[in-house]
């Protein structure tokens, strides 16, 4: 299986070595698309995918994601960024240019619940989740064998109320040492401190086991059972200092009824959780998400 994944990865890197993505957010006005596409034409680029959205054509914010092929893209990236900065200044753009095959480096945090972690590992092993998994961190030991069998380092860092600051210090040191730029909380049942979140703004993706904004906090399935809901869901969002209130990337639901007890809700919910997290993570890895205030624009 490792050989299959490596072959698929190498094929991907070879096939997309000249592909890049340009993400833009700016005040809406005339001429944005014309300026961007003309620039890409002058660079010898061929646009293969383009998505755009405006909150309001009159004084709103305009969002654009363009994917394109350009010969010798890796070598040209720095010069292209320098030239595009002139256009960006004219239109007051917030923007970023990324290479398609410049894979993000990811770390996964997990506690006792294993379903989200196993889904991500399976998709990664199958070549469907294109990222460089640097390591897995857990406050429990029980997933070590499954993770290390795939050649992924596993760090057991226990969490206590008295030693939480030291725990986070160790975690942050590992993340920086390995230059991790994407952190996934795959049912990591610990609240991160504001100091930790501030180190990685909009780089931490969480899966919450309810359809937010309903049932924020702990034991949402028990809350849902007491409320007698007819739908349960899961929400993947970026982590901020406000618990479970960061920008939402993806959500999904399933129907339930009066016959579902808390354990039944959890069983159905686990399926939703792992699929929602995987979708949200893929969109993030593919630079399909632009954060706007406390919302996201997702060009899925």
């Amino acid at each position: 299986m490792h050989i299959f994944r490596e072959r698929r990865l190498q094929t991907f890197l070879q096939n997309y070595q000249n592909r890049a993505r340009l993400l833009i957010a700016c005040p809406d006005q005339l001429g944005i698309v014309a300026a961007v596409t003309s620039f890409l034409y002058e660079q010898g680029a061929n646009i293969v995918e383009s998505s755009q959205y405006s909150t309001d054509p009159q004084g709103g914010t305009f969002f654009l994601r363009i994917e394109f092929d350009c010969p010798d893209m890796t070598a040209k990236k720095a010069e292209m960024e320098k030239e595009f900065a002139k256009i960006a200044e004219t239109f007051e753009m917030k923007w970023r240019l990324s290479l398609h095959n410049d894979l993000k480096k990811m770390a996964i945090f997990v506690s006792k619940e294993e379903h989200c972690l196993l889904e991500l590992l399976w998709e990664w092993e199958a070549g469907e989740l294109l990222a460089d998994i640097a390591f897995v961190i857990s406050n429990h030991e029980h997933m070590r064998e499954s993770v290390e069998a795939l050649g992924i380092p596993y760090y057991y860092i226990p969490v206590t109320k008295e030693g939480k600051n030291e725990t986070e210090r160790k975690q942050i040191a590992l993340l920086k040492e390995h230059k991790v730029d994407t952190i996934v909380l795959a049912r990591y049942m610990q609240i991160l401190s504001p100091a930790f979140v501030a180190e990685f703004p909009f780089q931490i993706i969480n899966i919450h086991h309810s359809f937010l904004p309903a049932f924020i906090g702990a034991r949402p399935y028990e809350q849902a059972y007491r409320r007698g809901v007819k739908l349960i869901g899961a929400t993947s969002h970026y982590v901020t200092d406000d618990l479970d209130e960061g920008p939402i990337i993806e959500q999904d639901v399933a129907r339930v009824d009066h016959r579902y007890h808390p354990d039944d809700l959890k069983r159905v919910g686990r399926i939703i959780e792992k699929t929602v997290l995987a979708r949200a993570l893929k969109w993030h890895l593919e630079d399909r998400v632009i954060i706007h205030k406390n919302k996201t624009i997702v060009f899925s």
Side-chain angles (χ1 to χ4, degrees), residues 23-170:
L23 272 71
I24 295 169
C26 64
D28 201 351
Q29 56 191 293
L30 294 175
I32 300 170
V33 175
V36 174
T37 54
S38 295
F39 170 81
L40 293 176
Y41 172 77
E42 292 165 2
Q43 296 291 321
N46 180 40
I47 296 171
V48 296
E49 183 180 331
S50 180
S51 303
Q52 63 191 63
Y53 169 70
S54 176
T55 60
D56 187 341
Q58 305 298 323
T61 302
F62 180 78
F63 304 90
L64 177 66
R65 180 188 186 274
I66 289 184
E67 202 165 296
F68 61 90
D69 285 334
C70 187
D72 301 318
M73 185 61 220
T74 301
K76 293 174 64 173
K77 182 175 182 287
E79 183 61 29
M80 189 179 290
E81 288 175 324
K82 181 180 177 181
E83 291 299 316
F84 188 76
K86 302 170 187 175
I87 296 174
E89 184 177 2
T90 300
F91 290 95
E92 302 176 61
M93 293 176 178
K94 295 180 180 178
W95 62 284
R96 70 179 186 270
L97 177 65
S98 61
L99 300 176
H100 201 74
N101 62 5
D102 187 8
L103 301 184
K104 290 181 172 57
K105 183 161 282 192
M106 183 171 74
I108 305 174
F109 284 44
V110 66
S111 290
K112 290 183 178 179
E113 295 279 353
E114 62 188 23
H115 54 287
C116 287
L117 171 64
L118 292 177
E119 176 69 18
L120 298 183
L121 294 180
W122 183 87
E123 296 208 24
W124 176 79
E125 181 68 3
E128 299 295 333
L129 189 67
L130 293 168
D132 179 4
I133 301 180
F135 52 81
V136 171
I137 283 180
S138 181
N139 54 330
H140 298 276
E141 279 279 19
H142 76 294
M143 287 302 297
R144 178 182 293 277
E145 184 176 349
S146 297
V147 172
E148 292 185 340
L150 297 175
I152 301 171
Y154 186 92
Y155 293 98
Y156 166 59
I157 305 180
V159 180
T160 64
K161 185 176 180 180
E162 298 77 15
K164 188 166 185 178
N165 289 341
E166 178 61 17
T167 294
E168 290 195 344
R169 188 194 66 76
K170 292 178 181 178

Side-chain angles (χ1 to χ4, degrees), residues 17 41 47 54 59 62 84 97 99 125 130 143 172 186 209 217 242-243 251 253 256 264 266 286 292:
Q17 61 182 319
Y41 172 77
I47 296 171
S54 176
F62 180 78
F84 188 76
L97 177 65
L99 300 176
E125 181 68 3
L130 293 168
M143 287 302 297
I172 291 170
H209 41 312
D242 297 318
L243 181 64
Q251 295 180 291
V253 296
V256 295
D264 301 312
K266 292 176 184 178
E286 295 171 4
H292 177 57

Side-chain angles (χ1 to χ4, degrees), residues 21 104 106 129-131 182 280-287:
R21 308 157 179 152
K104 290 181 172 57
M106 183 171 74
L129 189 67
L130 293 168
T182 299
L281 178 57
K282 287 177 184 178
W283 292 336
H284 173 86
L285 296 175
E286 295 171 4
D287 294 318

Side-chain angles (χ1 to χ4, degrees), residues 160-286:
T160 64
K161 185 176 180 180
E162 298 77 15
K164 188 166 185 178
N165 289 341
E166 178 61 17
T167 294
E168 290 195 344
R169 188 194 66 76
K170 292 178 181 178
Q171 292 169 339
I172 291 170
L174 276 172
L175 293 165
K176 291 189 173 183
E177 177 188 347
H178 291 270
K179 299 181 179 178
V180 167
D181 53 34
T182 299
I183 301 165
V184 185
L185 307 184
R187 292 300 304 273
Y188 182 64
M189 307 307 289
Q190 298 290 327
I191 297 175
L192 301 178
S193 71
F196 188 106
V197 174
E199 291 279 356
F200 309 97
F202 301 114
Q203 295 174 280
I204 309 171
I205 297 174
N206 184 44
I207 183 67
H208 183 70
H209 41 312
S210 81
F211 191 73
L212 294 175
F215 311 128
I216 290 173
R219 304 177 69 82
Y221 291 121
E222 286 76 4
Q223 296 181 55
Y225 176 73
R226 290 194 297 270
R227 189 66 181 83
V229 301
K230 307 307 177 190
L231 288 172
I232 62 167
T235 302
S236 185
H237 63 94
Y238 289 107
V239 174
T240 63
D241 287 345
D242 297 318
L243 181 64
D244 297 331
E245 294 189 10
I248 292 171
I249 308 170
E250 173 64 335
Q251 295 180 291
D252 206 349
V253 296
R255 295 200 64 84
V256 295
D257 60 34
H258 58 278
R259 292 169 292 186
Y260 286 73
H261 290 271
D263 285 344
D264 301 312
L265 299 180
K266 292 176 184 178
R267 174 177 49 80
V268 175
R270 281 194 288 267
I271 298 172
I272 310 172
E273 291 165 26
K274 65 182 183 179
T275 55
V276 166
L277 179 59
R279 280 201 300 265
L281 178 57
K282 287 177 184 178
W283 292 336
H284 173 86
L285 296 175
E286 295 171 4

